[in-house]
Amino acid sequence: MTLSLFDQFLSPVVCWIPLVAIAIILPWILFPSPTTRWLNNRSLTSQNWFLSQATSQIFLPINPPGHKWALLLSSLLIFLTTMNTAGLLPYTFTPTSQLSINMGLAGALWMGVVILGMRTQPTHSLGHLLPEGAPALLTPILVIIETISLFIRPIALGVRLTANLTAGHLLIQLTSTATLAMLTIMPVTAIFTGILLFLLALLEAAVALIQAYVFVLLLSLYLQENV
Amino acid sequence: MLSRLVFLSANSLRSSGLIGAGLVQASRSLQTSSQRLAPVPPLPDHGGKVRHGLIPEELFEFLYPKTGVTGPYMLGTGLIVYLLSKELYVINHETIYAICIGTIIVYGVKKYGATVAAFIDSINEEKVAKAQAAKDSHISFLTEAIENEKKEQWRVEGRGMLFDAKRNNVAMLLETNYRERQHMVTNEVKRRLDYQIALQHLNRRLQQEHMINWVEKNVISSITPQQEKESIAKCIADLKVLAKTTQAKAAA
């Protein structure tokens, strides 16, 4: 069967056994649970340090009632970072390039923060629909625009992550296919495409980390508004 | 982590009837991790040795007796050539990408590996240093306290001498005070006695003078004028005799 460019994004199946669950759960073993030791090995120390730094950074602007979300958002950060960076390796499947997974995460979490805001402090949450310092004439239009922007948030969150990763992977595949194809015919052009591929891989590594961080950061911002 | 699994499974197996207990005992020889949770066994200082960052040294040592130093390398090359020639591994676009990302990862690890490892080690060392500092400060505080205590004990010994000196001082003050008062008393008594003596002397002198005056008065009043003339004449006669004798002595 001929491979199309999008076959790398198909949910992996081996003999009709879906492997996507394993693909999502297996990276969990990279993060061991806290040990009974006071001083740990390097990998565990670095993970703990990174996680404590990231969590304190993200939760700095959020007032104390929102700190209940620390576990959820930090585990989300770890999940997304691991999925994205593991997808950089060749022959791997990136679960976060699937719209289903990203929309599931984005929609559920966004709805969670909005409902939290509406239940605990409805006036304050609804007040966000009218930004401060706006002239009184524009109020109806502004409220409509802000409502639309509120409801577009989950779509934006999910699609942003999906699009970034899918586009990155697709570009990598295209460039590497081009390099391979031209390697025998036009080696010099193949070298240039190879350099492009090299730079693209670097970009993809950066994007993988940044997109995960942006996802979690935006959720923390929505939380900050509503808690 | 897996030893916990052994404990849990052993517990559940043990409670699950006759065969369960036998199974646990039979597999005990296969259980290699320690059966006790404390004391925690120490972590090795360095991780397992690897060659080329991926292949454990144990493979090289395993193959060395039979195939020497180049054995594992021949094995690797042979495997790769076999996979490529039989097209078990097909070279496709992912291969090019794998070369790219492999270069990036190897370069990154080689360049920043030592720095990152040093940083992570410094995190652990800071932890140890903090605990060590707390321990050292506590030890120094206690040593100081011991020295202060010894000093206080030495001071207590000296306090006896201090008390003796103070007691001597006080006794001397009392003695001085007593002597002063005694001296004062003596002086006062002497003054009074002197007064009495002076009074007596005065009396005696007055009496004497009075008596002398009375005697003189009586004597003078008793001298008649005739007696006075006779005495004066006698005196002149005596004087003349004396003058004569003296002249005679002078001439002789």
Side-chain angles (χ1 to χ4, degrees), chain A residues 37-38 40 42 88 91 173, chain B residues 41 89 92 97 121 124 127:
Chain A
R37 297 178 180 275
W38 180 48
N40 294 313
R42 279 178 187 163
L88 287 174
Y91 300 106
Q173 197 185 12
Chain B
Y89 175 68
N92 50 13
Y97 173 65
D121 283 340
N124 270 352
K127 233 173 154 180

Side-chain angles (χ1 to χ4, degrees), chain A residues 3 8 33-34 36-43 45-46 49 87-92 169 172-174 176-180 183 194 197-199 201-202 204-205, chain B residues 1 4 37 40-43 46 89-101 103-105 107 116-121 123-125 127-129 131-132:
Chain A
L3 290 170
Q8 62 174 318
S33 51
T36 49
R37 297 178 180 275
W38 180 48
L39 294 170
N40 294 313
N41 57 0
R42 279 178 187 163
S43 74
T45 314
S46 64
W49 172 83
L88 287 174
L89 299 168
Y91 300 106
T92 49
H169 283 274
I172 283 174
Q173 197 185 12
L174 279 171
S176 48
T177 314
T179 317
L180 183 64
L183 206 53
L197 178 61
F198 186 78
L199 295 170
L202 278 172
E204 269 315 294
Chain B
M1 200 166 88
R4 255 180 283 158
L37 288 170
V40 177
L43 275 178
H46 304 282
Y89 175 68
V90 179
I91 293 190
N92 50 13
H93 60 280
E94 295 265 17
T95 316
I96 313 287
Y97 173 65
I99 296 169
C100 258
I101 200 85
T103 321
I104 292 174
I105 291 174
Y107 175 73
V116 170
F119 171 71
I120 296 168
D121 283 340
I123 294 175
N124 270 352
E125 262 153 46
K127 233 173 154 180
V128 171
Q132 186 71 25

Side-chain angles (χ1 to χ4, degrees), chain A residues 76-211:
Chain A
L76 183 66
L77 178 69
I78 296 285
F79 175 73
L80 290 174
T81 324
T82 320
M83 294 287 122
N84 291 352
T85 43
L88 287 174
L89 299 168
Y91 300 106
T92 49
F93 169 69
T94 323
T96 41
S97 67
Q98 304 296 310
L99 197 62
S100 49
I101 291 178
N102 293 341
M103 285 308 293
L105 286 171
L109 290 168
W110 165 84
M111 213 187 307
V113 288
V114 166
I115 291 176
L116 181 72
M118 290 291 173
R119 276 190 63 162
T120 50
Q121 29 180 12
T123 342
H124 182 78
S125 293
L126 284 172
H128 277 297
L129 291 178
L130 186 66
E132 278 179 32
L137 274 176
L138 291 174
T139 312
I141 308 170
L142 267 177
V143 169
I144 294 172
I145 292 175
E146 288 288 330
T147 318
I148 295 173
S149 93
L150 177 71
F151 281 97
I152 257 200
R153 276 178 184 175
I155 308 172
L157 266 179
V159 173
R160 180 187 300 109
L161 189 56
T162 314
N164 267 296
L165 281 150
T166 315
H169 283 274
L170 214 51
L171 266 175
I172 283 174
Q173 197 185 12
L174 279 171
T175 329
S176 48
T177 314
T179 317
L180 183 64
M182 287 194 287
L183 206 53
T184 45
I185 312 168
M186 295 182 280
V188 181
T189 328
I191 291 171
F192 283 127
T193 4
I195 294 171
L196 177 66
L197 178 61
F198 186 78
L199 295 170
L200 206 59
L202 278 172
L203 177 71
E204 269 315 294
V207 163
L209 297 169
I210 291 169
Q211 283 305 317

